[in-house]
Amino acid sequence: MKIIKTPDEFKEIRKTLKGKSIGFVPTMGGLHNGHLSLIKRAIAENDVSVVSVYLNPTQFNDKKDLETYPANFDDDCALLEKAGVDYLFAPTYPVMYPDDYKYMLTEKDFSKELCGAKRPGHFDGVLTVVMKLLNIVSPTRAYFGEKDYQQYKLLDGMVKAFFMDVTLVPCPIVREENGLAISSRNRKLSKEGLAKAPKFHEILTGGGSEAEITKKLEEAGFKVDYVTKKENRLYAAVFLEDVRLIDNVEK
Ligand code: PAF
């Protein structure tokens, strides 16, 4: 696996890959089985695989959340190497934001709801960094997990709005056997928190109105950020031990 640190370097390599299909998985590190499922698909469905590991500061509205994000670059490299990834793109802030974030991409509607309502600026940061990454990597297909379903919908809208030449591939949520959606943030939970967390998904799939589900979550010890039904999906975010967990299920 080749590790590339700058957009210029990657763009030079990209010229040598003309005519090949490129599968790209953008990540913020702290890799787990959820990421691995996207990576395996990118490898299986394309000639060349690229993974980025970049903890993007512009999508964190809470400094503490950024500082405590559970990422370990050496572990991530070992996992990617073992999975058989061809290129790891691992840039730094100065090379990703030569403009120091003076330019950003905004969506004015859905990005202000759900997670966007609770995390101001979050989706501006996500859309901006993914646009940059797609411009640098220029992949055939880019893979995104449906745990962040709102993120996927917004990115899909961005690709259509800007006539971008990439296919986004949404991938099903990977869960522990007990139903808990796998997330880097699960690592921040204590043993007791980890034992309680699966109740989140159990309650979401148990039916009821938004208010009834909220009540059940609160009784189970979660602090509810939101529970919202939209189109054919139930979205929710909760706090457990100050760790923010999100999930969504089809209705
Ligand atoms: O889903 C994530 O891990 C991030 O939001 C992404 C898409 C890598 C952008 O930083």
Side-chain angles (χ1 to χ4, degrees):
M1 181 177 73
K2 282 208 176 79
I3 302 180
I4 316 292
K5 299 263 183 191
T6 68
D8 285 348
E9 220 184 317
F10 194 88
K11 284 182 161 208
E12 280 308 307
I13 287 178
R14 185 67 184 83
K15 287 182 197 159
T16 68
L17 304 174
K18 273 212 174 93
K20 298 200 165 149
S21 63
I22 315 285
F24 175 47
V25 182
T27 82
M28 295 202 296
L31 302 181
H32 50 64
N33 282 340
H35 294 113
L36 203 55
S37 73
L38 311 186
I39 290 163
K40 281 186 181 156
R41 269 190 79 171
I43 292 172
E45 295 173 5
N46 300 278
D47 299 326
V48 176
S49 56
V50 181
V51 174
S52 63
V53 170
Y54 177 60
L55 187 53
N56 174 39
T58 66
Q59 69 188 76
F60 286 82
N61 58 314
D62 176 357
K63 215 170 155 234
K64 199 173 137 231
D65 192 23
L66 172 63
E67 282 164 5
T68 59
Y69 196 82
N72 181 319
F73 190 66
D74 291 341
D75 290 353
D76 290 344
C77 283
L79 183 144
L80 294 172
E81 188 93 56
K82 193 161 166 239
V85 167
D86 297 309
Y87 295 96
L88 164 58
F89 180 55
T92 55
Y93 182 82
V95 297
M96 280 305 277
Y97 290 92
D99 60 325
D100 203 11
Y101 201 37
K102 287 190 191 102
Y103 289 83
M104 66 168 72
L105 201 65
T106 300
E107 190 274 354
K108 295 197 288 188
D109 186 12
F110 189 38
S111 75
K112 309 300 173 196
E113 298 178 27
L114 309 173
C115 283
K118 304 292 175 171
R119 302 182 67 190
H122 169 63
F123 286 117
D124 295 343
V126 171
L127 294 172
T128 304
V129 80
V130 174
M131 173 65 94
K132 286 171 187 265
L133 288 167
L134 292 176
N135 283 341
I136 295 161
V137 175
S138 194
T140 317
R141 300 180 188 86
Y143 296 79
F144 294 90
E146 289 186 349
K147 184 171 77 63
D148 300 290
Y149 200 77
Q150 185 180 13
Q151 167 174 283
Y152 164 69
K153 290 292 284 180
L154 287 164
L155 290 170
D156 187 48
M158 173 184 89
V159 163
K160 288 177 178 138
F162 292 95
F163 310 103
M164 294 169 73
D165 215 359
V166 59
T167 301
L168 298 195
V169 184
C171 301
I173 299 178
V174 180
R175 299 183 182 278
E176 303 285 3
E177 266 175 37
N178 58 25
L180 176 66
I182 297 183
S183 161
S184 310
R185 287 196 163 85
N186 297 353
R187 293 185 192 152
K188 290 164 87 174
L189 293 169
S190 70
K191 218 170 136 212
E192 293 72 38
L194 268 178
K196 195 187 275 187
K199 277 253 155 221
F200 181 25
H201 181 245
E202 194 184 308
I203 293 171
L204 282 190
T205 49
S209 67
E210 292 169 3
E212 284 161 346
I213 294 167
T214 300
K215 190 161 170 269
K216 280 189 219 161
L217 286 167
E218 281 168 356
E219 282 166 2
F222 297 96
K223 190 170 156 253
V224 176
D225 207 7
Y226 66 82
V227 173
T228 305
K229 283 186 187 167
K230 202 173 161 72
E231 288 159 12
N232 61 344
R233 208 163 275 269
L234 176 66
Y235 297 83
V238 295
F239 287 96
L240 181 62
E241 300 178 333
D242 273 347
V243 179
R244 194 167 190 278
L245 304 175
I246 60 169
D247 204 342
N248 66 85
V249 292
E250 249 183 298
K251 281 275 124 194

mmCIF file of all heavy atoms in Angstrom, residues 1-2 39 43 49-51 79-88:
data_model
loop_
_atom_site.group_PDB
_atom_site.id
_atom_site.type_symbol
_atom_site.label_atom_id
_atom_site.label_comp_id
_atom_site.label_asym_id
_atom_site.label_seq_id
_atom_site.Cartn_x
_atom_site.Cartn_y
_atom_site.Cartn_z
ATOM 1 N N MET A 1 0.852 -1.197 0.000
ATOM 2 C CA MET A 1 0.000 0.000 0.000
ATOM 3 C C MET A 1 0.894 1.256 0.000
ATOM 4 O O MET A 1 1.799 1.386 0.809
ATOM 5 C CB MET A 1 -0.876 -0.008 1.264
ATOM 6 C CG MET A 1 -1.811 1.169 1.363
ATOM 7 S SD MET A 1 -2.875 1.055 2.801
ATOM 8 C CE MET A 1 -1.730 1.406 4.150
ATOM 9 N N LYS A 2 0.582 2.149 -0.923
ATOM 10 C CA LYS A 2 1.358 3.402 -0.985
ATOM 11 C C LYS A 2 0.636 4.467 -0.149
ATOM 12 O O LYS A 2 -0.578 4.627 -0.269
ATOM 13 C CB LYS A 2 1.429 3.905 -2.425
ATOM 14 C CG LYS A 2 2.434 3.178 -3.273
ATOM 15 C CD LYS A 2 2.935 4.127 -4.394
ATOM 16 C CE LYS A 2 4.014 3.484 -5.220
ATOM 17 N NZ LYS A 2 3.498 2.537 -6.212
ATOM 18 N N ILE A 39 -14.640 -0.920 2.419
ATOM 19 C CA ILE A 39 -13.333 -1.106 1.779
ATOM 20 C C ILE A 39 -13.324 -2.388 0.944
ATOM 21 O O ILE A 39 -12.841 -2.415 -0.192
ATOM 22 C CB ILE A 39 -12.214 -1.102 2.855
ATOM 23 C CG1 ILE A 39 -12.077 0.318 3.431
ATOM 24 C CG2 ILE A 39 -10.897 -1.604 2.303
ATOM 25 C CD1 ILE A 39 -11.338 0.401 4.754
ATOM 26 N N ILE A 43 -12.680 -2.651 -3.069
ATOM 27 C CA ILE A 43 -11.635 -3.503 -3.654
ATOM 28 C C ILE A 43 -12.267 -4.465 -4.676
ATOM 29 O O ILE A 43 -11.760 -4.637 -5.785
ATOM 30 C CB ILE A 43 -10.882 -4.288 -2.550
ATOM 31 C CG1 ILE A 43 -10.066 -3.322 -1.681
ATOM 32 C CG2 ILE A 43 -9.991 -5.368 -3.151
ATOM 33 C CD1 ILE A 43 -9.427 -3.956 -0.452
ATOM 34 N N SER A 49 -8.052 0.531 -5.484
ATOM 35 C CA SER A 49 -8.774 1.020 -4.294
ATOM 36 C C SER A 49 -7.980 2.140 -3.615
ATOM 37 O O SER A 49 -6.750 2.082 -3.518
ATOM 38 C CB SER A 49 -9.008 -0.123 -3.301
ATOM 39 O OG SER A 49 -7.779 -0.714 -2.974
ATOM 40 N N VAL A 50 -8.718 3.139 -3.170
ATOM 41 C CA VAL A 50 -8.115 4.280 -2.458
ATOM 42 C C VAL A 50 -8.935 4.522 -1.196
ATOM 43 O O VAL A 50 -10.168 4.569 -1.252
ATOM 44 C CB VAL A 50 -8.144 5.566 -3.321
ATOM 45 C CG1 VAL A 50 -7.486 6.729 -2.573
ATOM 46 C CG2 VAL A 50 -7.491 5.342 -4.673
ATOM 47 N N VAL A 51 -8.247 4.675 -0.062
ATOM 48 C CA VAL A 51 -8.916 5.044 1.191
ATOM 49 C C VAL A 51 -8.268 6.328 1.679
ATOM 50 O O VAL A 51 -7.043 6.475 1.589
ATOM 51 C CB VAL A 51 -8.763 3.931 2.261
ATOM 52 C CG1 VAL A 51 -9.334 4.377 3.602
ATOM 53 C CG2 VAL A 51 -9.440 2.642 1.801
ATOM 54 N N LEU A 79 -4.587 -2.177 9.352
ATOM 55 C CA LEU A 79 -5.858 -2.746 8.873
ATOM 56 C C LEU A 79 -5.981 -2.607 7.349
ATOM 57 O O LEU A 79 -6.380 -3.546 6.658
ATOM 58 C CB LEU A 79 -7.004 -2.040 9.586
ATOM 59 C CG LEU A 79 -8.430 -2.498 9.299
ATOM 60 C CD1 LEU A 79 -9.287 -2.428 10.560
ATOM 61 C CD2 LEU A 79 -9.078 -1.660 8.213
ATOM 62 N N LEU A 80 -5.603 -1.429 6.847
ATOM 63 C CA LEU A 80 -5.749 -1.169 5.399
ATOM 64 C C LEU A 80 -4.790 -2.031 4.593
ATOM 65 O O LEU A 80 -5.140 -2.567 3.542
ATOM 66 C CB LEU A 80 -5.501 0.318 5.103
ATOM 67 C CG LEU A 80 -6.534 1.270 5.706
ATOM 68 C CD1 LEU A 80 -6.101 2.718 5.535
ATOM 69 C CD2 LEU A 80 -7.901 1.048 5.061
ATOM 70 N N GLU A 81 -3.577 -2.161 5.127
ATOM 71 C CA GLU A 81 -2.563 -2.998 4.470
ATOM 72 C C GLU A 81 -3.068 -4.437 4.379
ATOM 73 O O GLU A 81 -3.016 -5.065 3.323
ATOM 74 C CB GLU A 81 -1.284 -2.919 5.313
ATOM 75 C CG GLU A 81 -0.072 -3.565 4.701
ATOM 76 C CD GLU A 81 0.757 -2.549 3.906
ATOM 77 O OE1 GLU A 81 1.170 -1.522 4.474
ATOM 78 O OE2 GLU A 81 0.967 -2.829 2.720
ATOM 79 N N LYS A 82 -3.588 -4.933 5.510
ATOM 80 C CA LYS A 82 -4.081 -6.316 5.567
ATOM 81 C C LYS A 82 -5.262 -6.524 4.613
ATOM 82 O O LYS A 82 -5.404 -7.567 3.980
ATOM 83 C CB LYS A 82 -4.507 -6.622 7.014
ATOM 84 C CG LYS A 82 -4.738 -8.080 7.272
ATOM 85 C CD LYS A 82 -4.711 -8.424 8.747
ATOM 86 C CE LYS A 82 -5.290 -9.825 8.916
ATOM 87 N NZ LYS A 82 -6.455 -9.868 9.775
ATOM 88 N N ALA A 83 -6.107 -5.495 4.483
ATOM 89 C CA ALA A 83 -7.283 -5.614 3.610
ATOM 90 C C ALA A 83 -6.888 -5.612 2.132
ATOM 91 O O ALA A 83 -7.671 -6.018 1.283
ATOM 92 C CB ALA A 83 -8.248 -4.463 3.888
ATOM 93 N N GLY A 84 -5.672 -5.123 1.830
ATOM 94 C CA GLY A 84 -5.206 -5.124 0.436
ATOM 95 C C GLY A 84 -5.508 -3.837 -0.310
ATOM 96 O O GLY A 84 -5.652 -3.842 -1.542
ATOM 97 N N VAL A 85 -5.594 -2.725 0.415
ATOM 98 C CA VAL A 85 -5.850 -1.416 -0.211
ATOM 99 C C VAL A 85 -4.613 -0.974 -1.002
ATOM 100 O O VAL A 85 -3.482 -1.194 -0.572
ATOM 101 C CB VAL A 85 -6.219 -0.383 0.891
ATOM 102 C CG1 VAL A 85 -6.199 1.033 0.371
ATOM 103 C CG2 VAL A 85 -7.577 -0.739 1.486
ATOM 104 N N ASP A 86 -4.836 -0.348 -2.162
ATOM 105 C CA ASP A 86 -3.702 0.073 -2.996
ATOM 106 C C ASP A 86 -3.089 1.396 -2.540
ATOM 107 O O ASP A 86 -1.880 1.525 -2.457
ATOM 108 C CB ASP A 86 -4.161 0.219 -4.457
ATOM 109 C CG ASP A 86 -4.618 -1.111 -5.031
ATOM 110 O OD1 ASP A 86 -3.851 -2.092 -4.903
ATOM 111 O OD2 ASP A 86 -5.732 -1.184 -5.574
ATOM 112 N N TYR A 87 -3.962 2.399 -2.265
ATOM 113 C CA TYR A 87 -3.455 3.729 -1.904
ATOM 114 C C TYR A 87 -4.158 4.261 -0.669
ATOM 115 O O TYR A 87 -5.382 4.211 -0.587
ATOM 116 C CB TYR A 87 -3.689 4.731 -3.047
ATOM 117 C CG TYR A 87 -2.911 4.416 -4.287
ATOM 118 C CD1 TYR A 87 -3.503 3.705 -5.332
ATOM 119 C CD2 TYR A 87 -1.579 4.811 -4.397
ATOM 120 C CE1 TYR A 87 -2.780 3.403 -6.479
ATOM 121 C CE2 TYR A 87 -0.856 4.514 -5.545
ATOM 122 C CZ TYR A 87 -1.453 3.809 -6.572
ATOM 123 O OH TYR A 87 -0.740 3.510 -7.699
ATOM 124 N N LEU A 88 -3.369 4.785 0.255
ATOM 125 C CA LEU A 88 -3.923 5.497 1.412
ATOM 126 C C LEU A 88 -3.578 6.971 1.237
ATOM 127 O O LEU A 88 -2.401 7.332 1.112
ATOM 128 C CB LEU A 88 -3.307 4.951 2.709
ATOM 129 C CG LEU A 88 -3.493 5.819 3.961
ATOM 130 C CD1 LEU A 88 -4.967 6.064 4.273
ATOM 131 C CD2 LEU A 88 -2.814 5.167 5.164
#
